Amino acid sequence: MEIIEDLRRMRSFSSSSRGKGLRVVLVPTMGYLHDGHRELLRTGRQSADLLILSIFVNPAQFGPKEDLGSYPRDMESDLSAARDSEVDVVFAPRREDIYPVGYRTYAEVEGLSDRLCGASRPGHFRGVATVVLKLFNITLPHAAIFGQKDFQQLLIIRKMAEDLNLGVEIIGVDTVREPDGLAMSSRNSYLSAEERKAARCIPASIEEAQREFEKGVRHAPAIVEKVKKVIEMEPLAVIDYIKICDGSTLEDIESMEGGAHLFLAVRVGRARLIDNCPIGLERRPLL
Ligand code: PAF
């Protein structure tokens, strides 16, 4: 396994692999790898001749009061997970190479970026889109893999790839969950034992939404109310948003006749946890 920090070296490595007719697949991450990332790597490995894992904690996607400084990092353990997942190249650029002094250029996907997490974290998706575009330009992938846990991010990257004719196939992978249904996230490491138990209210509330839909409820605000009640029963949980939206435009919807997509952001202790799930007749149990 190669470990590459240098941008030019990474680009020429990928470029010569493409020249040999190899399929290059990128899994972009901020490190602190868990089973969710392993699943992205497993999916990538299936079709890649050259599988690249990028590890870069991207300052541009954190707000001034957010957790950039304390975001969990463990390069040794990430490298060992990368080896286990048969990664060919770990690309771990330096911050000053990605954003040198005087950096001025940002990518923005209008509309999709302003809703849900974009409303709570202004500028977040501008930072995500920018770094992903840069990672694509450096690693030159045929395909890139993203988790559905960050569903809004996946839609935004897909739209950017389409609008800017990037020629990169964007592949979404199902959310990987803990045995009690909590979506895997590097930020779960912020939770104390008590908070970890409390976070169980998130998958439980999604299950409640699904049950309401199955009972025949199709009025989105009524289902949002039920979800809210489940979370409010947990004193350690603070709701950021609960929304039922169209799963492609992310616009709020009232009638769920054709199914819909539930999105939540909930703070438990200092962790801001997000989750989402399609709500429809084909039940996809979380456990
Ligand atoms: O999902 C993440 O870990 C990050 O947002 C990404 C896509 C690696 C960009 O920094």
Side-chain angles (χ1 to χ4, degrees), residues 28-31 37 54 56-58 61 71 124 127-128 131-132 135 146 150 153 157:
T29 76
M30 298 207 297
H37 295 114
S54 68
F56 180 66
V57 180
N58 173 35
Q61 69 188 74
Y71 194 82
H124 169 67
V128 170
V131 82
V132 169
L135 291 170
F146 295 85
D150 298 298
Q153 167 173 284
I157 302 299

